Amino acid sequence: MLRTSVSVKRTSRAVLCILLLLLPVTVWTVTEFWRETRLVDIAQDGRNKLELYRSNLQGAIKEHEYLPITLASDNRILNLATFADPANAAQVNVYLEKLAADSGASDIYFMNRDGTTIAASNWNSDASFIGRNFSFRPYFQQARRGETGHYFAFGITSNVPGYYISHPVRSDGVTFDGAMVVKTHLDTLLQRWTKGGESVLVTDENGVVIISARPEWRFRTLEDLPAKNRPRIIASRKYGDSPLDLMPLTDGQWPKGDELSVLTLSTIPKDLSDMPPAERAEKAEPSSTKTNLGKTTYLATSSSLPKQGWRMFLLTDKSVLDRSTLSAGLMAGAAHVIFAGLVFIILQRRRTMLEQLEIRDWSQRELERQVRLRTADLMSTNLRLAQEINERSRTEDALRSAQTELVQTSKLAALGQMSAGIAHEINQPLTAIRSYAENALKFISRGNSDTANRNLQRISELTDRMGRITSNLKTFARRPEQDNQPVDVHEQMQKAIDLILETGRTGASNIVLSYAPDLKPVIAEPNQLIQVFTNILNNAADACPSDEDAKIEVHITKGDDRLLVSIKDNGHGILPENLPKLFDPFFTTKPFGDGLGLGLSICYGIIRSFGGTIRAKNRPNGGASFIIELRYDAVTADSGDNWHSTQNASTDKQIETPHQSESS
Ligand code: ADP
């Protein structure tokens, strides 16, 4: 049983194990996929941001680029370039000062054709450019060549880095009369980048970081400067006193284009990075990597600014990617475990379902088996019953035939008995009649007529007796004509007692009759009822010892639905073995010739024909008792009208006040 569910159980466990073994594969695949996807996103995002920052930078430069171009054609500047009038210079100073304040430029100044500053917006400050010669600056030389100059450098006077834009001034449109210069700090831009929290840095044509939101990276080189250029670059003071240390790159390399590179930078201590360049140069070791406190890995992408010969780098902290990759891996792992759990639960449920189905199937099969067994049982029982019924019917047939045989035998026996009785009863008077007749003939021949007459008289008496015998036989054989009707039992009993008394078989003092008042009529035929009562009273009288001691009690009482008549005597009683055959025809204990044994049999038949019963028993103190039950007449019992008149006419002794009835 449950083989399928066991195999499903094994399968579900195997599936769970496989799914759990596949967990690292899922985590690795998802992590890698997530990392690759994120890298592509970060690269694209970096490119977009770099483009934005580049536009910002170009915009910040362009913001002030127009100023030297416009001022180069301003009459005040042209006059100053032509005549170098000090009064004019003073006016221009004020003008430039106002212009710088309005435009947000750091400094605006005019240099004559020798490179000496004639007028400047900072004319009124300690670090005034006026009188200073910056002809060595590349931006001046570019202007002298007739170009718009662009240059980033530390200020010689201010020692503050800035972006210089220059434009040639030509009073006659051809001859170089000087250069108009604007210096901007790009401070606003730096502040914006710092706010954005981006690690953005810009390197110039020498690979030196000139713009960075992180001050510790500023004026460091991406790669070592070529040895031959290094003295010249330091001498140009383009980067002030900065030692031009290397960026603390410990792993990876800087991107050459817009591809994504992974690089690791060690952290530069704050105290060192906060120092002024000169001081920092003194304190710092030649290789800054030796002072590293920690490392940060970045995803870097770059973009070039061809006009300036610069490169811009965007560094994104790789830990962000690592964290999101870790999260993705964890989520994938969790999802995998949940999936495995769900699969396991589904398989478990399937197993439970299969188990239930199997149990149901098994129950069904078991039920069918039980039904088959029960049916087989029932069929065998049916077969056995059928056999028993056959057996019984065969037995019944045998019994019936035995009974029939017995009845036939009984009939023959009864017939024999009856024949013997009749023969005895008839033979005796016949023999006597023959003797009387022969003697009568002799007496007549002798002339003794008196004796002959007496003999003839005896013959006549004997034929009477024979007639009574045959009449009894006729009564027994004849089926009585039923004329049942409502009958007053007390009245019929009284008549029967009177008849007995008339025959002289017993005296009136020997019979006691008592009865209940308001007796209802019963269904009976009156003469037959008298015949029954007479027969029983005669038997009682026969059984009693002698006339003086004989005592026959007759009680008529009311039952629920029957009327009860009991006739008791104090005679010799009935032998117990004779009780069952008392009502059989031809049963008698009387001496041969005194009784035929038909009386009680006839009584039984008559009472049954009234729908009543008759039974006999011995009394405890000796004597016999016969009890007859008779049905009440239903119609008369309901109305009771006819009955009252009959009863009123005949009752004078009632059972409530029992007393002897002196029958006359
Ligand atoms: P018979 O009177 O011709 O014998 P019955 O059928 O009237 O036939 O009676 C059958 C027998 O029942 C009697 O022979 C007698 O033995 C017995 N019997 C009837 N009545 C009584 C009685 N009151 N006491 C004792 N025996 C009785």
Side-chain angles (χ1 to χ4, degrees):
M1 183 195 158
L2 306 184
R3 278 196 301 273
T4 315
S5 64
V6 170
S7 77
V8 171
K9 190 177 177 180
R10 281 200 203 115
T11 310
S12 57
R13 278 187 185 162
V15 168
L16 184 67
C17 286
I18 291 168
L19 284 173
L20 289 178
L21 284 173
L22 284 173
L23 177 64
V25 178
T26 304
V27 172
W28 182 82
T29 308
V30 170
T31 306
E32 283 307 300
F33 175 75
W34 179 261
R35 190 196 307 280
E36 289 303 317
T37 310
R38 285 296 298 141
L39 280 174
V40 171
D41 288 348
I42 289 169
Q44 186 57 43
D45 192 43
R47 278 192 284 274
N48 293 340
K49 279 182 178 168
L50 274 180
E51 189 54 42
L52 184 71
Y53 290 135
R54 206 162 66 99
S55 303
N56 280 350
L57 184 57
Q58 297 283 21
I61 292 169
K62 270 203 169 69
E63 197 180 331
H64 296 117
E65 196 174 27
Y66 75 96
L67 275 173
I69 297 168
T70 311
L71 287 169
S73 53
D74 191 292
N75 283 334
R76 282 167 282 199
I77 301 299
L78 289 173
N79 277 340
L80 191 63
T82 311
F83 305 110
D85 181 9
N88 192 16
Q91 283 180 357
V92 171
N93 279 341
V94 173
Y95 171 61
L96 292 179
E97 184 181 16
K98 186 173 182 305
L99 197 60
D102 290 346
S103 66
S106 172
D107 301 296
I108 306 174
Y109 51 101
F110 172 68
M111 302 160 76
N112 65 14
R113 64 177 63 88
D114 302 326
T116 305
T117 306
I118 304 294
S121 58
N122 60 359
W123 62 277
N124 208 17
S125 75
D126 293 342
S128 171
F129 292 168
I130 292 176
R132 305 289 303 263
N133 188 297
F134 302 123
S135 60
F136 62 91
R137 288 290 204 182
Y139 62 82
F140 179 75
Q141 290 159 17
Q142 284 172 317
R144 193 156 54 192
R145 285 199 298 272
E147 300 165 4
T148 301
H150 290 270
Y151 187 60
F152 181 87
F154 263 76
I156 299 291
T157 313
S158 64
N159 208 24
V160 175
Y163 188 78
Y164 298 85
I165 307 165
S166 64
H167 195 76
V169 177
R170 296 187 189 92
S171 52
D172 58 359
V174 182
T175 315
F176 177 73
D177 291 325
M180 198 64 224
V181 184
V182 172
K183 182 185 177 185
T184 177
H185 284 160
L186 304 175
D187 285 344
T188 325
L189 193 68
L190 271 177
Q191 279 165 12
R192 231 181 287 157
W193 288 359
T194 310
K195 274 182 195 163
E198 299 286 350
S199 295
V200 183
L201 51 91
V202 179
T203 57
D204 66 1
E205 65 281 2
N206 295 319
V208 176
V209 178
I210 54 171
I211 302 171
S212 169
R214 301 178 67 163
E216 67 268 27
W217 288 347
R218 211 177 299 160
F219 305 115
R220 284 176 177 265
T221 58
L222 297 189
E223 290 165 4
D224 273 332
L225 290 171
K228 58 178 175 135
N229 292 343
R230 189 177 182 88
R232 181 181 54 79
I233 291 169
I234 288 176
S236 72
R237 293 185 53 76
K238 180 174 164 67
Y239 309 106
D241 298 327
S242 172
L244 300 180
D245 291 331
L246 266 175
M247 280 291 282
L249 181 72
T250 58
D251 195 19
Q253 54 184 350
W254 295 98
K256 302 291 179 204
D258 60 359
E259 79 278 4
L260 204 63
S261 292
V262 181
L263 52 88
T264 305
L265 295 174
S266 54
T267 309
I268 299 168
K270 258 257 189 264
D271 55 345
L272 206 62
S273 62
D274 288 345
M275 284 179 194
E279 211 176 313
R280 186 178 61 183
E282 281 171 23
K283 282 202 171 183
E285 292 285 322
S287 171
S288 64
T289 52
K290 289 183 183 168
T291 61
N292 289 347
L293 291 177
K295 289 177 182 176
T296 308
T297 303
Y298 295 97
L299 297 167
T301 185
S302 71
S303 171
S304 64
L305 288 86
K307 190 173 176 183
Q308 287 82 12
W310 294 354
R311 287 196 72 75
M312 183 180 272
F313 294 86
L314 178 73
L315 305 184
T316 308
D317 195 337
K318 189 169 165 283
S319 65
V320 177
L321 171 68
D322 291 340
R323 275 201 299 277
S324 78
T325 306
L326 182 67
S327 299
L330 286 174
M331 282 170 71
H336 186 97
V337 169
I338 290 169
F339 174 73
L342 282 176
V343 168
F344 186 69
I345 287 168
I346 288 168
L347 286 173
Q348 287 291 98
R349 282 202 172 173
R350 190 162 160 261
R351 182 170 74 89
T352 312
M353 209 170 70
L354 282 173
E355 264 179 16
Q356 283 171 352
L357 279 176
E358 280 187 35
I359 288 170
R360 208 161 58 197
D361 279 0
W362 179 85
S363 306
Q364 182 78 23
R365 283 198 301 276
E366 184 60 22
L367 189 69
E368 284 171 3
R369 196 177 68 82
Q370 296 282 358
V371 167
R372 272 201 304 277
L373 282 176
R374 193 88 190 100
T375 309
D377 263 7
L378 281 174
M379 281 174 73
S380 76
T381 309
N382 274 352
L383 203 65
R384 210 169 52 247
L385 276 175
Q387 284 170 350
E388 277 176 19
I389 287 167
N390 279 341
E391 191 69 29
R392 185 164 296 199
S393 83
R394 271 200 303 277
T395 312
E396 277 176 4
D397 286 347
L399 192 67
R400 209 173 294 123
S401 72
Q403 268 179 345
T404 314
E405 231 168 88
L406 197 67
V407 167
Q408 196 62 28
T409 312
S410 299
K411 273 183 187 169
L412 288 173
L415 205 59
Q417 204 176 359
M418 186 179 72
S419 304
I422 293 168
H424 179 78
E425 291 292 324
I426 300 291
N427 272 344
Q428 202 184 18
L430 271 179
T431 311
I433 286 170
R434 192 186 304 131
S435 303
Y436 282 131
E438 285 170 1
N439 290 339
L441 283 173
K442 284 177 188 167
F443 285 128
I444 289 169
S445 63
R446 284 181 202 162
N448 189 352
S449 61
D450 289 344
T451 310
N453 279 340
R454 270 202 306 277
N455 278 10
L456 289 173
Q457 184 63 38
R458 298 293 297 170
I459 288 170
S460 172
E461 285 172 9
L462 287 169
T463 51
D464 276 352
R465 187 178 166 188
M466 288 171 70
R468 278 203 305 278
I469 290 168
T470 50
S471 126
N472 259 343
L473 282 171
K474 262 163 59 188
T475 307
F476 179 72
R478 190 189 68 218
R479 187 177 175 80
E481 283 176 20
Q482 290 293 52
D483 187 18
N484 294 344
Q485 53 190 279
V487 173
D488 177 1
V489 174
H490 170 252
E491 187 184 332
Q492 309 313 320
M493 180 57 82
Q494 191 62 60
K495 285 180 183 174
I497 292 170
D498 291 346
L499 278 173
I500 292 292
L501 293 177
E502 265 176 35
T503 61
R505 299 187 72 160
T506 187
S509 60
N510 301 116
I511 299 182
V512 177
L513 169 64
S514 65
Y515 56 94
D518 303 329
L519 289 172
K520 294 175 190 172
V522 298
I523 290 295
E525 201 285 316
N527 292 324
Q528 288 182 350
L529 192 58
I530 293 169
Q531 186 185 343
V532 169
F533 290 158
T534 311
N535 193 87
I536 293 170
L537 288 170
N538 270 329
N539 282 344
D542 289 345
C544 284
S546 65
D547 276 356
E548 294 84 47
D549 299 333
K551 190 101 178 166
I552 301 170
E553 294 171 37
V554 179
H555 298 291
I556 305 172
T557 53
K558 292 187 276 189
D560 283 344
D561 55 347
R562 304 257 168 145
L563 187 134
L564 303 178
V565 180
S566 71
I567 302 165
K568 304 171 186 173
D569 61 64
N570 60 345
H572 51 67
I574 306 159
L575 287 172
E577 63 268 25
N578 291 338
L579 274 172
K581 43 192 178 182
L582 211 61
F583 296 96
D584 288 352
F586 301 109
F587 172 75
T588 181
T589 57
K590 290 177 185 170
F592 208 69
D594 285 354
L596 266 179
L598 289 175
L600 285 179
S601 175
I602 291 167
C603 292
Y604 183 85
I606 290 170
I607 294 298
R608 295 289 295 179
S609 74
F610 297 161
T613 59
I614 179 168
R615 61 185 187 278
K617 61 180 183 180
N618 283 314
R619 300 178 71 188
N621 298 323
S625 166
F626 283 78
I627 300 109
I628 298 166
E629 290 185 16
L630 292 165
R631 281 193 301 134
Y632 288 126
D633 171 48
V635 179
T636 320
D638 286 346
S639 64
D641 293 340
N642 296 333
W643 166 241
H644 278 302
S645 58
T646 314
Q647 191 169 22
N648 289 340
S650 63
T651 54
D652 54 355
K653 301 172 185 69
Q654 296 188 346
I655 209 163
E656 281 85 358
T657 51
H659 56 275
Q660 287 187 348
S661 168
E662 294 289 335
S663 301
S664 53

